[in-house]
Amino acid sequence: MLQRYGKIIGWGVHIPEKVVTNFDLEEKWDTTDEWIVQRSGIRERRFASEEETTDVMATRAAINALKKANIKATDLDLIIVGTCLTEYFTPSVACLVQSAIGAKQIPAYDISAGCTGFLYSLSTAYQFIQTGAYNRIMVIGAENISRFLETGDRSTAILFGDAAGAVIIESTDEPCGLHGFTLGSDGDDKDVIAMNTSSHRGRFDEGHFIKFQGQQVFKFASRVLGKACREALAQANLTLDDVDWIIPHQANVRIIQSAARDMGVPLERFIINIDRYGNTSSASIPLALYENLESGKIKPTDTVLMVAFGAGLTWGATVLQLAPKSEATVAHTQSDAVLGQLAAAG
Ligand code: UT7
């Protein structure tokens, strides 16, 4: 059998409209814009409305990715959603997306790995592509965390935001896709970031909120980001010089600065949008990828190193080249085709 690779043929996001600035949080949480900016780099974030549940946001991101790829939901073989705080214990968000987009009877499941959920999902999807089991896979990162912040503490309440991001991977025999990856976990540190569901009776219950030990997470993250990047690059037989962009999980700009120092890489090679969205957990990497593909800063043929950490504890890194070198213009061609269709439709 021919060696199978996976190219990213579509990407999409859903970003809630409601902007919540640091100033909006000052009174309620006895905090200041200055403190939040200095300690985290965050200036504003988006909060989902009542209607924008995790599956609704994931579905909208999925539909946008299908449009970008110019394919139908029935062309998909599998849906994987990285998410950790969903409205239902069951069914999965992936099954709700499968139904909503009309991807009839294909397998669909969630992966819970805290903020590392998207990279766990992406790495898993690539295994199915590389073995030839599936040809087109939708991978989504979606989180609606704001509703769990109401009764929390102020260091948590200022960090998180809501969003969803999706990519579609398609099988190809041209070299590209996942060059290397590493995943890890350490359940011994389960209490460092946790939300206990035993008190779960609905939205905004007292005692039902994310708790974390901020400084422990900070130290762990600063250590693990560089380590995970080095491991994924070693597996890919590449070095940092081969990488065009690094997309880190957007948890705290100081964690990213610390990882940049540890890796000896200028901060300019890191993609950073935490100032506008805060920490959107599993959605943070696909959201950053989407924005920078759309702006043209990241080219589909670039080599991108993505790295994340989160509750579990979990961590992961992937070295990805979205499209084969021969398809340097494919993304633009697809965009032009969609624009052409829209223009033709009047
Ligand atoms: O995706 C993984 C999820 N978790 C994370 O990303 C968390 C990573 N950790 C962090 O980002 C940082 O630890 C925080 C931003 C959460 C906190 O920053 P810090 O520099 O570690 O602050 P701290 O927890 O050591 O608190 C310093 C002070 C304390 O006051 P005292 O004891 O020095 O008087 C806190 O009570 O800052 C106080 N504080 C606040 N003050 C104003 C904590 N939260 C706030 C706040 N506004 N929102």
Side-chain angles (χ1 to χ4, degrees), residues 114-115 153 155-156 159-160 185-196 209-224 251 255 279 309-315:
C115 302
D153 71 294
S155 63
T156 317
L159 287 185
F160 290 96
S185 77
D186 186 356
D188 290 351
D189 281 330
K190 62 184 184 303
D191 296 324
V192 174
I193 313 171
M195 194 176 88
N196 186 339
F209 55 87
I210 309 165
K211 302 180 185 92
F212 64 62
Q213 297 156 25
Q215 291 198 356
Q216 245 112 311
V217 180
F218 197 100
K219 283 182 204 152
F220 155 72
S222 306
R223 217 175 41 242
V224 84
I255 292 175
N279 179 349
F309 63 93
L313 293 170
T314 57
W315 59 90

Side-chain angles (χ1 to χ4, degrees), residues 31 35 39 115 154-155 212 214-215 217 249 251-252 254 279:
T31 186
W35 190 96
R39 298 288 175 129
C115 302
R154 61 181 177 164
S155 63
F212 64 62
Q215 291 198 356
V217 180
H249 168 48
N252 186 319
R254 289 189 299 136
N279 179 349

